[in-house]
Amino acid sequence: MNPPGKTGRSSELNIGDTSGLMKSCEQKGIIISNEEFVSESLFRHINTPNSKIKILIGSRKFTEGWNSWRVSTMGLINFAKGEGSQAIQLFGRGVRLKGYNGCLKRSRKLDTNVTPLKHIELLETLTIFGVKAQYMEDFKSYLEQEGTPTNETIHEYRLPVISRFDEVKEKKLHVIKVKDGANFKQQAARLILDKPDQGFLRYLLKSKTVIDCRSKIQTIDSTYSFKIESMLEPRTLPADILPLLDVQRIFDELQAYKSERRYFNISIVKDKLLDILRKDDWYGLLIPQNHLEINSIAKLEAATDYAVMALKSYMDKFFKYEKERWEVPRLEYAILDADNSNFVDEYMLTYAQQSAMDSKGDELDAFVAEMSAVLQANNGLDVYKKDFFHGKLVLFDFRSHLYAPLICLEKSNLKIQVAPVALNTDEMRFVDYLKSYVDDHAAELAGKSLYLLRNKSKVGMGFFEAGNFYPDYILWIDTPATQYISFIDPKGLMHIRPDDPKIEFHKTIKDLETRLSPTADGKRIVLNSFIMAGTRSSDLRMWWSTPEVDADRAYREARNVYTLDNDECVESMMRKILQ
């Protein structure tokens, strides 16, 4: 502690029971004085780039009332012995991450086409160790129940990707993109954050915001049970408690978040915030009902926190929705280039080793090394498929795909992650059918060039008019006079109705085709959209049929919906494309 007027190393001492300490000092004959320090708190500068603070030593001071993006390691000594309410709050301080450009995500989850720095995952992993901290074991068990990695040894393997762009660059494959120079943040009109209109509400309901409030609850109710909480249905803030919330604090925190995310053209009006929360079908809170019964100051403050969390998510989606809507009339054709965001430089395979006896990490290491050598030697795999872990992990190489390999990871208890995200079995099955078609129909494809490219979610080609739809694949069939571009999405249709925008896109894409035709450089471009349903044909017919409509195969295929349980699905699709 630096006394006033003295200089020395930067340090700061916080004492919980100040009066008790002063009284004890007086009893021991120590002269004391009550004087405010003139130096500013070190906590105010902890996040600045030039901060020299590397280690914080303290006690329960760090459970609340401060914030830092820089926490990477926590050591608990004689702390977290019991149920863990304050420990959970402390952990929450550590898992926060500012992320690339303030995206609040770890590098493996980035939506942008950015290659993470080497070993960045070490800085983005919260390491916790404890001495006489018995609750650590209970917390670890809870994470394991939720399927979250705890203290397993994490192994990472990099698999190179072979690009085939040079083989197709002379073909001038067309893509759809926003016009050069169009900048939503700089050119769009200022937007007011307000309650959702019908269009935005439909957008919100497609991916409802669900906020896990468990860590906050732990600070209020130390007898709370995780097992009960995991069974809860999402709830919303009751209308009668909204007027009790601290609206000024909500407004201030949203303003700070807006600056952090660089949402420069959004205006936040304090009087409109509660109106957004009153339209409550767009979000849900994982929280027991009794915690929404405001009978204490702590619960009221927590309810304000829940409102802030919900509205931050609302602002994120509001910005994304308005940006994509603004960009629709500013789309044009461009030529695919090597910098397109759908290309992949390498895969990162991550395996969580659970014990010293677990040898799967070594096996995966050997497999990745072997496949790397095969890819480099053959400009791709030497066969169509290579599988591992009894077919749970599959590398495959369709030679018409613009890079190799593609990776499919079947859902299983294997603790393997792949970045970019691996294909699912329906997506691989479609490529299987397409490969078979290309192998068996050389005559029909004579004089035509066929290329396939996986379309990344969020950063690839998306379509606002189809409900922010990012189809899984782009298929080009190029002829001297015409280029056919088809967007194909293998997906289950259990929860999708025939009037869903993704289904209706087979019609609305024709409007887009007409609108973009002046930018096609004189070549005729034909656009199509197809759904390759992983849902069984019989089930889909039953779910879609009504007393007035029999949703048979003809009904579905008229809407460009094909089912993967039909071996001729790709052949039927190709006939429609080339008709």
Side-chain angles (χ1 to χ4, degrees), residues 111 342 455-460 470-472:
D111 298 331
N342 280 318
N455 187 44
K456 290 182 184 175
S457 177
K458 300 182 182 179
V459 298
Y470 285 82
D472 286 319

Side-chain angles (χ1 to χ4, degrees), residues 288-347:
Q289 181 61 41
N290 69 307
H291 282 269
L292 295 175
E293 297 167 2
I294 305 303
N295 51 21
S296 70
I297 296 298
K299 285 187 176 180
L300 180 58
E301 291 177 347
T304 300
D305 288 342
Y306 308 148
V308 169
M309 290 187 285
L311 288 170
K312 284 180 179 180
S313 174
Y314 185 90
M315 193 193 307
D316 287 336
K317 293 182 178 181
F318 177 77
F319 180 86
K320 184 173 175 56
Y321 173 83
E322 293 294 344
K323 178 176 182 289
E324 290 170 351
R325 184 166 70 165
W326 183 85
E327 288 176 348
V328 165
R330 295 165 177 82
L331 296 176
E332 65 180 5
Y333 287 125
I335 302 302
L336 180 74
D337 59 33
D339 296 325
N340 187 274
S341 59
N342 280 318
F343 283 105
V344 175
D345 294 325
E346 66 177 7
Y347 289 105

Side-chain angles (χ1 to χ4, degrees), residues 431-488:
V431 179
D432 290 344
Y433 281 134
L434 184 60
K435 178 183 181 300
S436 296
Y437 177 86
V438 170
D439 291 344
D440 298 340
H441 294 78
E444 289 89 333
L445 293 173
K448 304 177 182 69
S449 300
L450 182 147
Y451 305 103
L452 185 70
L453 181 61
R454 189 183 183 193
N455 187 44
K456 290 182 184 175
S457 177
K458 300 182 182 179
V459 298
M461 279 190 264
F463 299 96
F464 177 84
E465 53 270 76
N468 196 37
F469 182 33
Y470 285 82
D472 286 319
Y473 293 106
I474 310 163
L475 176 69
W476 291 271
I477 301 176
D478 188 59
T479 70
T482 304
Q483 192 170 105
Y484 303 88
I485 308 176
S486 299
F487 299 92
I488 303 164

Side-chain angles (χ1 to χ4, degrees), residues 457-561:
S457 177
K458 300 182 182 179
V459 298
M461 279 190 264
F463 299 96
F464 177 84
E465 53 270 76
N468 196 37
F469 182 33
Y470 285 82
D472 286 319
Y473 293 106
I474 310 163
L475 176 69
W476 291 271
I477 301 176
D478 188 59
T479 70
T482 304
Q483 192 170 105
Y484 303 88
I485 308 176
S486 299
F487 299 92
I488 303 164
D489 198 58
K491 67 187 308 97
L493 296 181
M494 182 180 297
H495 303 294
I496 294 181
R497 301 297 302 166
D499 60 351
D500 186 277
K502 293 180 178 63
I503 307 296
E504 291 292 299
F505 192 46
H506 81 280
K507 291 189 297 187
T508 55
I509 197 173
K510 292 302 181 181
D511 298 331
L512 183 63
E513 175 184 302
T514 301
R515 194 166 71 243
L516 296 183
S517 60
T519 68
D521 297 328
K523 191 158 189 174
R524 177 175 174 247
I525 306 292
V526 177
L527 300 179
N528 282 296
S529 172
F530 297 92
I531 302 292
M532 289 289 168
T535 308
R536 290 189 307 175
S537 176
S538 57
D539 291 338
L540 194 55
R541 182 175 186 177
M542 178 178 65
W543 293 333
W544 279 13
S545 291
T546 65
E548 297 78 24
V549 175
D550 179 10
D552 60 2
R553 176 175 170 178
Y555 173 88
R556 299 190 303 269
E557 293 189 359
R559 288 156 179 78
N560 286 7
V561 176

Side-chain angles (χ1 to χ4, degrees), residues 88-103:
I88 295 294
Q89 182 74 357
L90 182 63
F91 298 161
R93 301 285 164 181
V95 297
R96 298 174 183 178
L97 187 74
K98 191 167 187 178
Y100 179 77
N101 281 341
C103 69

Side-chain angles (χ1 to χ4, degrees), residues 151-308:
N151 61 346
E152 298 98 338
T153 301
I154 304 299
H155 297 278
E156 294 189 334
Y157 313 98
R158 297 177 183 271
L159 181 69
V161 170
I162 303 299
S163 173
R164 296 191 173 118
F165 173 75
D166 287 343
E167 300 175 16
V168 303
K169 61 184 179 182
E170 300 302 325
K171 295 293 184 181
K172 295 185 177 180
L173 301 180
H174 286 71
V175 295
I176 300 170
K177 73 173 193 66
V178 179
K179 293 178 180 178
D180 291 337
N183 188 303
F184 172 70
K185 286 184 179 181
Q186 297 177 3
Q187 299 169 0
R190 183 163 290 276
L191 304 165
I192 295 177
L193 194 69
D194 203 348
K195 59 186 177 182
D197 58 22
Q198 288 302 310
F200 183 39
L201 185 59
R202 285 194 298 270
Y203 180 89
L204 289 170
L205 295 179
K206 286 193 311 162
S207 179
K208 188 173 180 178
T209 296
V210 178
I211 299 170
D212 190 339
C213 304
R214 286 176 283 193
S215 62
K216 186 65 182 178
I217 289 171
Q218 281 285 311
T219 68
I220 302 172
D221 183 0
S222 63
T223 62
Y224 171 74
S225 168
F226 280 120
K227 293 183 179 179
I228 295 174
E229 175 63 12
S230 64
M231 305 286 289
L232 289 174
E233 291 295 324
R235 307 176 190 279
T236 57
L237 292 167
D240 59 344
I241 75 170
L242 295 181
L244 305 177
L245 301 180
D246 187 345
V247 179
Q248 185 61 51
R249 178 158 75 87
I250 295 173
F251 175 78
D252 291 342
E253 293 204 32
L254 288 178
Q255 287 283 23
Y257 186 73
K258 166 190 162 180
S259 298
E260 187 177 276
R261 299 304 300 267
R262 300 180 175 88
Y263 294 155
F264 305 126
N265 51 342
I266 293 180
S267 293
I268 304 172
V269 179
K270 184 167 64 174
D271 293 342
K272 294 182 179 292
L273 298 178
L274 295 186
D275 289 338
I276 298 173
L277 293 171
R278 289 188 179 100
K279 189 70 176 177
D280 61 5
D281 46 357
W282 57 270
Y283 78 97
L285 308 173
L286 291 177
I287 188 170
Q289 181 61 41
N290 69 307
H291 282 269
L292 295 175
E293 297 167 2
I294 305 303
N295 51 21
S296 70
I297 296 298
K299 285 187 176 180
L300 180 58
E301 291 177 347
T304 300
D305 288 342
Y306 308 148
V308 169

